Amino acid sequence: MKTYTYTEKKDTRSGFGAGLAELGRTNPNVVALCADLIGSLKMEKFIEENPERFFQIGIAEANMMGIAAGLTIGGKIPFTGTFANFSTGRVYDQIRQSIAYSGKNVKICASHAGLTLGEDGATHQILEDIGLMKMLPGMTVINTCDYNQTKAATIAIADYEGPVYLRFGRPTVPVFTPADQTFEIGKAIKLTEGTDVTIVATGHLVWEALEASKMLFEKGISAEVINIHTIKPLDETAILESVAKTGSIVTAEEHNIIGGLGESVARVLALHKPMPQEFVGTNDTFGESGTPAQLMEKYGLNAASIVLKAESVIKRK
Amino acid sequence: MPSTQYLNDLTIQVRRDILRMVHKVNSGHPGGSLGCTEFLVALYNVIMTRKEGFNMDGIGEDLFFLSNGHISPVFYSVLARAGYFPVEELSTFRLIDSRLQGHPTTHEGLPGVRIASGSLGQGMSVAIGAAQAKKLNGDKHLVYSLHGDGELQEGQNWEAIMYASAKKVDNLISVVDLNGQQIDGSTDHVLPMGSIKQKFEAFGWTVVEIEEGNNIVSILEGMSEAKSKTGQGKPVCVLLKTVMGHGVDFMMYTHAWHGKAPNDEQLAVGLSQNPETLGDY
């Protein structure tokens, strides 16, 4: 079985900052907007190198989304930066009307998504953003798993014409994807080959899925792990090819199971190949204060939970 | 520049378009549309520098954003009669498969529309973004936006108003249609807003008032003054005092016709008060 290792842990938001800085050097149409969270979004380098292409909006996210939509009229490619909660739930109608329905080329870049924001608690830990964004017609939804993938995704979405929601997080997590891996929107990445169960994971849960696959291997269970960084458009082919082999599937995400990746996968299976599925995610609940590790443990978003779900889904075959 | 006679004729023709459009589908918003007819006729035919054809980027020309999207009938009529799309297409307003949706959208590819609007309070932010893009592009042309007075009750406007002055967006002219009416009654009845002029001034804007917002000559004078005040470090607000339902006597001075279409009889009266000038669609 293929195993993955890492030499350092980094935050995915720093991958965004690095990608944005690179875009600042390579694409003169890229502009950045922030609602008073420059440091949290790691946007300093872009701002330092391109002060005229940065717009500090202040604590006014609705205005930021509208200004971003307006900047596209004139050929700019705006990247907005704030926390995931304020990037989506707070400004849903602005995104819906001024960006998605208007077909504007805005890149909504959202940090501090999910429970791993930690101690700030439920007001800031959005677990519904993937659902909100994937429901918008024409919106591409991406949730990256580590520093390298976030950097690559940030660069890739500048070349894609259309609105994109790019979701990443606050804590440091293992860097295990290759630094030179090209990011292809909508193209899943198979991380391990397996025959007993497919584990489809996104964001911070991808590493946990790899850890789970090792634990399962020791129990004699062969798991195929797929990194599904793009939730919409979903790589249906990759999922269906995998489950044709394994006959069961576990989805894993740092998000409510209602409205998340798991439901998108379930739809694909219901249409093409109904089979047992188990869901790793929060279950219709808000988060709370705590360390990221404590929260992921309490809400069942770690390797151990994935192992349990894998074992139970296999029994349902 | 077109003659005042032509502009007056066009105004009357646009009023006829508005009445016929909303009557046909028994829905839509004639009140605010009629109140802003002179303004949009003047804007598109005299005030703005426009290029031939339509390019979404709008580089090298003035831009307009309609924030109070429900007055789509007047917007569509003025766009069509300015040559953006065939006048005959006005007959498809609000019908299935039409590019002329109930509220304006880019989604159906209607030339002349650069943003969807309808959910209120979003247009000024978009206009600011477009104005800042013009500055980045070294494009000296202006950006105009139109807002209802009731619309100012949406909080996003005040985020935008604060931002525009703080960031010296001085290539923007935001026009507020001060008709004093909204769906549930007068603005003073629903949510008194005090002095909108003082509010914009307190937020650091230059304010120009047009007392006769249904008089083409007054509009041209006022907008000329507004243009002369751009480029001086402050965004410019124009307070356009209009009468909702202007030009159709039974629709004037009331909120009743905000979102209600005339019946056959009322249509006939309205049209008789606005005899055909340039030809119906």
Side-chain angles (χ1 to χ4, degrees), chain A residues 31 52-53 55-57 60-63 66-67 69-76 93-94 97-98 101-104, chain B residues 56-57 63 65 105-107 114-119 122 125-126 128-130 132-133 136-137 156 159-160 163 167:
Chain A
V31 298
E52 76 292 347
R53 283 195 272 150
F55 300 92
Q56 171 60 272
I57 307 294
E61 295 82 6
N63 192 36
I67 290 175
L71 280 161
T72 66
I73 302 164
K76 304 305 165 197
D93 190 45
Q94 284 76 19
Q97 175 171 284
S98 293
Y101 185 43
S102 292
K104 297 306 182 200
Chain B
M56 181 57 80
D57 282 348
L63 300 180
F65 294 95
T105 175
T106 57
H107 198 257
R114 290 193 166 86
I115 197 79
S117 59
S119 177
Q122 300 186 27
S125 301
V126 175
I128 289 168
Q132 294 200 291
L136 278 180
N137 289 336
Q156 186 182 344
E159 295 181 5
Y163 177 91
K167 304 293 174 168

Side-chain angles (χ1 to χ4, degrees), chain B residues 16-197:
Chain B
R16 290 180 65 86
D17 291 347
I18 293 166
L19 292 168
R20 294 175 66 232
M21 287 163 75
V22 300
H23 168 262
K24 178 176 177 182
V25 291
N26 193 28
S27 68
H29 299 80
S33 294
L34 292 166
C36 287
T37 301
E38 288 87 351
F39 172 72
L40 282 174
V41 164
L43 187 72
Y44 271 83
N45 293 279
V46 183
I47 298 162
M48 284 204 298
T49 303
R50 297 184 293 112
K51 285 199 206 166
E52 281 295 308
F54 177 70
N55 184 327
M56 181 57 80
D57 282 348
I59 293 170
E61 63 180 326
D62 291 344
L63 300 180
F64 170 70
F65 294 95
L66 180 69
S67 189
N68 49 337
H70 56 275
I71 68 166
S72 56
V74 64
F75 189 34
Y76 292 150
S77 171
V78 169
L79 286 177
R81 292 186 181 277
Y84 284 96
F85 57 87
V87 172
E88 295 71 35
E89 202 168 338
L90 294 175
S91 67
T92 70
F93 175 61
R94 285 182 173 241
L95 296 179
I96 192 83
D97 295 332
S98 173
R99 298 197 291 181
L100 280 60
Q101 292 290 296
H103 293 79
T105 175
T106 57
H107 198 257
E108 317 302 330
L110 187 70
V113 181
R114 290 193 166 86
I115 197 79
S117 59
S119 177
L120 293 172
Q122 300 186 27
M124 193 182 295
S125 301
V126 175
I128 289 168
Q132 294 200 291
K134 284 211 177 294
K135 286 188 179 248
L136 278 180
N137 289 336
D139 181 345
K140 299 292 184 195
H141 290 84
L142 298 174
V143 175
Y144 295 87
S145 60
L146 178 61
H147 315 262
D149 47 2
E151 186 184 8
L152 295 179
Q153 291 158 11
E154 290 282 5
Q156 186 182 344
N157 286 302
W158 301 97
E159 295 181 5
I161 292 164
M162 187 183 295
Y163 177 91
S165 59
K167 304 293 174 168
K168 299 183 170 50
V169 185
D170 60 2
N171 54 345
L172 171 69
I173 298 178
S174 289
V175 180
V176 179
D177 174 21
L178 280 186
N179 62 23
Q181 306 289 341
Q182 56 189 111
I183 293 176
D184 280 349
S186 71
T187 51
D188 281 343
H189 171 73
V190 176
L191 182 68
M193 290 180 280
S195 169
I196 292 171
K197 177 171 190 267

Side-chain angles (χ1 to χ4, degrees), chain A residues 140-142 183-187 228-235:
Chain A
T140 292
V141 180
I142 296 169
F183 188 87
E184 289 184 67
I185 295 170
K187 184 77 178 161
I228 200 99
H229 50 70
T230 307
I231 291 142
K232 185 186 170 193
L234 192 63
D235 190 343

Side-chain angles (χ1 to χ4, degrees), chain A residues 125-204:
Chain A
Q125 293 162 338
I126 194 162
L127 295 162
E128 308 89 43
D129 54 323
I130 290 174
L132 287 170
M133 291 297 109
K134 79 176 187 181
M135 281 194 293
L136 289 171
M139 181 68 73
T140 292
V141 180
I142 296 169
N143 185 192
T144 49
C145 66
D146 73 354
Y147 173 94
N148 286 338
Q149 190 172 67
T150 310
K151 182 181 176 188
T154 303
I155 293 165
I157 60 177
D159 288 331
Y160 167 80
E161 174 78 26
V164 174
Y165 179 60
L166 176 62
R167 179 195 212 235
F168 42 90
R170 175 175 184 243
T172 58
V173 292
V175 181
F176 63 95
T177 67
D180 61 351
Q181 190 166 61
T182 306
F183 188 87
E184 289 184 67
I185 295 170
K187 184 77 178 161
I189 300 167
K190 191 192 292 179
L191 294 174
T192 67
E193 296 271 355
T195 52
D196 297 326
V197 61
T198 298
I199 304 172
V200 171
T202 192
H204 291 146

